[in-house]
Each structure stands twice: as structure tokens, then as C-alpha cells.
Amino acid sequence: MGAVTQILRWAAGADTVPEDDDFDDGVLLGLVGQHALSGRLERRLSAGPAWLRRRLGGPVVAMHASTVALAEAHMRAVGRIVAGLGEQPPPVLVKGIAAGLLTGCRHLLRCGDIDLVCADGRPLIETLTRLGYERTRDPFLHELGEFTRAGVEIDVHAYLPVPGYGAVRDADLTPPEHARTWYQPRRAPSLHAIRHDRLMECGTVTVGRVTVPDPCVLAIVLCAHAFLNFTNMWSLSHRAKPYVKLAELADLQALVRHEAFDTRRFLTLVEDLDAGDAVRWAGWASTVLLGRNPLPVPAGTGPFPRCLWWDFWARLPVDEESLLLPDWFDVAAVTSVLGSRIELDTGRPTPSWTVEVRRDGDGVTVEVGLPERTDAATERGRVDFGASGTEWALAGGQLSALGGHDTCELLAGRRVRLRYRGPQAGGEVLVGVAEQDASGALLSAVLRPATWRSAGPGSDR
């Protein structure tokens, strides 16, 4: 265990006291912020090693003071939103400051975005606009958009997703030996949507003007969110954050100890909300990373398949250290599992397409050649370097893209060209293309690695 991750785990509640002082203070403090552990670390430092207190005491106190100030700003912001909604049902705030508000413990306060689940998106968005918030991200999946004002970001959710493995079968996750293409049967995962009315029915608590889930419901919400982050290896989710946020696991310990936590009701909710996979994974992660499973459900034993893209799933080796660092995944580790290419077995032949990857000055250019004609309503693509990536879509001759690219353009001959500035790790990249019909149903999908040399072009076709 590295010195940095040992301190992070200890801050989150692990028993092992840090002994290794060989770490960079700036790196550690950055990760304390990403794991939202400033309050917990400040509290534990008083009983920790003197050398650690001397090195980190001042910066950690300042960091948590900033967190508390932001949390107070969040509470005021939500209060104004609730007042602005008038007779409309108030939204439910999930994650972020929720555990701190429920427990009344200052050291549990943590905040990033304000995540609000609404009964009706239209009046909430109208209220946000009236209060001076500007849309900073368009709707995507369960999120109706992100809205920002004076440094406060609010994510409006139509519902909270509770993911599960559903029809994903372990037997499908072993590629055939010596085959160039791994045809993977399409196995849809499950996803239970917790909407506003269900949240209210399951149990909420209002602190001031802020409504949050009660301890049983919030524990499930945190398990589901952490499980989704772990399983989701799509490049669209790439941000400078670790796969597992330790504060979410640490919050579970506090919620289970809460006087209002009812084990019998929690177990009923796990069943009703189809949260078994998420809760068992959270028990495993808590055991592995923090030394104990606080949940009244036996921890899962793995392996835990991870979603590579669309309905592609694979068993990938899990490096506990890497789960806590914002380095995402090693593309080479993924390509060693999927081999030459993986194709979804939908019954429709995958169209002929090409990809070329080449060094381009101080960066990398990826060019995807699409077939001359298609009857698909939308073609989608993925370019993934492991630490940065892009998801693009082509529909009606219009190209759109999200991700870490510098430029993305549609060239003559139906070629999509993406440029990335700066060096990219390794010499491998995952590239995928998928087709959808007008209803959004997936018609075909393929994902495969491509390589480039240190100098000159490299390609994979």
C-alpha cells in the first residue's frame, strides 16, 4: 500500500495508522479533496501521528473550512430554490451535503455539485433560470441538465439510477481462444429508476428547507452511485476523479450508525429497489479498502464485471490502489482481455469502417472512416486513451462530441477526425463505432484497440 493511499484510507475510517512519510503533500491534499475527506482527516489528525499533524494540520483545516463555507452556500442556494418553487413539491437533495445534514456532524459535510431530484423538471428549471442560473450542460440520460451561478453548480435529475447486472452472465465474459473477433451475446444490465415520488414514499428528512433521503434510502443511493462509477468505463465519464470516492464508503458507516437507520426496512428497500448488486459491491469495496463492511448485507465476492461500452462487459483485473487514483484505467489491461476486437452479437453485420491513429506534432490524431451509406439514424463513436476520451455522434449529417479532444470534425468521404493535444499515455487507444435506429435502439457495435508508433503513422483496420 502506498503512503498516499494508506493515509486516504485511514482518513476514511480504516484502522491502520499511517507510518510511511514518503509522499508529496500537494499530491495527497489534492486527493483528499477528490475523495472529499477533509473533515474526516481533520478530525482524525488529533489522534494520529505527530509528524502527520505537523505536515498536514494547517492545510487540512483550511480545506475543510472552505468545504463548510461552500456547504453553507449550497444550503442557502437550495433554500432560495425551494422558496422560488412556491407550491411546487420541493426537490430532494442527494449525495453531497446530505449525510452531513442528516447526522448533524460538521466533519461529514462534503460538497461538489448540488444534485437535485425533482418532481417536475420544467418548473425547477424555470425557477433556476429566474434566479440567474445558466445552463452549462445539456440533458443526458437521467440528468435534465447542469445549471451554474456564481460558482454553484446544480445537476437536475429526473430520477436516480440504481444499476445492476441484470442479464449479464459470468459465462459470457470469457473470449474464445484464438478467435480474431469476440462476439459477445447482448446481455442488458438492469436499471431501477428512483423518481421523486418514490424517494418521498421511501423516506425523506427536511433540515431547514433542504429535503434529503433518510439514512436507509441515502445508504442505497450512495451504494448505487459508487457502483455505477466503478462499473462504468465509458470515456464520456472521464474526469479528474477516482473510480471509488472514499467519502461515499465512509458515509455508509455513519448512516448505518444513525439512530433512524432500520435494518429491516433497509433490507426491504434493497429488494424493492433492485439494489442488491450495488449494495453487495459496496460491502466488498468497504471491506477491501476500509477493512470492514458496515452494511447488514453480506459483501460480494466478485469478480465484478465492468461495462466497457454500451452492452459490452468484461472481467478485468482490479488494482485496489488504482481505484483510489484519478488515473482511470490502463488501456493495455483492457485490450489484453478483449483481444483483437469485441463485437456485439445483434444479428446485424457490423459495417465496414476503418481507423487510423498517428502522431501529429505534439499530439495524436484519430481518424475514423465510416461506410459510404447507412440506414442507421445515428452513428456513434468512442475514442479512449484511458485517461481521456471522446464520445461523438453523427446524425442527419451533423456531428457532435463530448470529451477531452481538441478538435472533432467531419471530413469529406464520411471521415471523423479527432485531434488530441499533448502526449497520450502508452501507445494504445480503444476505438468503437455503434449504430442506432430512430428510437435509439442499438443496431450494431464494435470496440477494438488501435496502436501508433512513437514517430510516424500507425493504423488498425
Side-chain angles (χ1 to χ4, degrees):
M1 183 189 306
V4 167
T5 54
Q6 184 184 53
I7 294 170
L8 293 173
R9 294 181 184 190
W10 178 73
D15 293 332
T16 304
V17 178
E19 298 177 351
D20 188 350
D21 62 357
D22 184 17
F23 60 87
D24 182 284
D25 291 15
V27 170
L28 175 60
L29 291 170
L31 285 167
V32 168
Q34 290 181 335
H35 284 278
L37 294 173
S38 61
R40 287 182 169 87
L41 182 54
E42 179 187 8
R43 194 163 185 258
R44 292 208 84 176
L45 278 176
S46 61
W51 60 266
L52 187 60
R53 192 160 55 250
R54 285 193 299 270
R55 286 179 63 173
L56 300 182
V60 169
V61 168
M63 181 184 294
H64 191 55
S66 296
T67 297
V68 171
L70 182 57
E72 291 170 347
H74 282 190
M75 286 182 268
R76 291 192 296 270
V78 175
R80 286 192 290 267
I81 293 166
V82 171
L85 282 169
E87 299 301 315
Q88 295 289 331
V92 180
L93 184 149
V94 294
K95 301 178 290 182
I97 61 176
L101 292 182
L102 269 181
T103 61
C105 295
R106 180 180 182 275
H107 71 281
L108 297 187
L109 286 172
R110 60 181 180 87
C111 41
D113 299 340
I114 300 176
D115 294 285
L116 298 178
V117 179
C118 60
D120 184 348
R122 186 172 64 179
L124 177 54
I125 291 173
E126 289 175 350
T127 299
L128 290 171
T129 302
R130 192 165 58 249
L131 291 172
Y133 287 86
E134 295 183 358
R135 180 183 286 276
T136 46
R137 191 167 63 230
D138 291 330
F140 180 71
L141 299 178
H142 59 284
E143 295 184 3
L144 300 178
E146 177 191 81
F147 300 83
T148 303
R149 175 177 178 262
V152 175
E153 295 182 0
I154 295 178
D155 285 344
V156 178
H157 298 261
Y159 62 88
L160 284 173
V162 180
Y165 286 125
V168 177
R169 299 178 183 176
D170 191 63
D172 296 331
L173 304 182
T174 302
E177 293 186 15
H178 311 303
R180 174 172 172 76
T181 300
W182 175 9
Y183 293 97
Q184 189 174 95
R186 185 173 185 180
R187 305 292 191 191
S190 61
L191 190 146
H192 188 98
I194 311 180
R195 300 188 183 276
H196 183 273
D197 57 348
R198 189 73 172 106
L199 272 174
M200 300 297 290
E201 176 188 326
C202 289
T204 58
V205 175
T206 300
V207 182
R209 282 189 161 180
V210 183
T211 301
V212 297
D214 74 14
C216 292
V217 182
L218 184 55
I220 290 175
V221 168
L222 295 181
C223 288
H225 184 251
F227 179 62
L228 180 63
N229 281 341
F230 169 81
T231 57
N232 180 12
M233 301 187 75
W234 288 31
S235 60
L236 191 60
S237 299
H238 283 167
R239 283 178 276 173
K241 65 177 185 177
Y243 268 114
V244 178
K245 180 181 285 189
L246 285 174
E248 291 189 315
L249 300 183
D251 279 354
L252 295 177
Q253 300 180 44
L255 294 172
V256 170
R257 292 194 299 265
H258 194 283
E259 61 183 11
F261 186 87
D262 183 287
T263 296
R264 181 175 297 179
R265 194 165 72 85
F266 176 78
L267 295 176
T268 299
L269 287 170
V270 169
E271 184 71 23
D272 291 348
L273 301 176
D274 195 20
D277 288 334
V279 170
R280 285 188 289 272
W281 174 86
W284 167 82
S286 296
T287 302
V288 167
L289 297 174
L290 300 181
R292 67 178 69 87
N293 172 21
L295 300 168
V297 173
T301 57
F304 296 97
R306 305 175 79 176
C307 182
L308 296 178
W309 195 43
W310 294 105
D311 291 339
F312 292 130
W313 292 81
R315 284 193 303 264
L316 299 171
V318 174
D319 180 346
E320 297 167 16
E321 296 285 296
S322 68
L323 292 178
L324 303 180
L325 303 175
D327 297 333
W328 290 89
F329 62 88
D330 179 3
V331 173
V334 176
T335 57
S336 68
V337 172
L338 64 87
S340 297
R341 55 186 272 155
I342 182 171
E343 186 172 328
L344 204 60
D345 189 3
T346 63
R348 173 187 173 106
T350 300
S352 175
W353 58 278
T354 64
V355 57
E356 182 181 5
V357 185
R358 61 180 181 272
R359 288 287 187 192
D360 189 358
D362 64 347
V364 174
T365 292
V366 179
E367 194 166 302
V368 178
L370 299 173
E372 183 178 347
R373 294 183 179 84
T374 180
D375 59 355
T378 303
E379 294 163 287
R380 294 189 179 275
R382 170 181 177 180
V383 176
D384 202 326
F385 294 92
S388 65
T390 299
E391 298 273 355
W392 57 262
L394 178 61
Q398 298 298 311
L399 180 67
S400 60
L402 292 172
H405 54 278
D406 182 44
T407 62
C408 181
E409 52 192 335
L410 181 63
L411 307 179
R414 287 179 33 87
R415 291 175 297 138
V416 177
R417 184 171 66 192
L418 302 102
R419 288 195 174 100
Y420 296 83
R421 286 184 177 176
Q424 301 296 328
E428 294 184 276
V429 57
L430 289 175
V431 182
V433 173
E435 300 176 296
Q436 291 176 299
D437 64 17
S439 71
L442 197 62
L443 300 173
S444 70
V446 62
L447 181 66
R448 63 189 185 186
T451 60
W452 71 91
R453 296 187 293 273
S454 297
S459 66
D460 178 58
R461 297 180 183 273

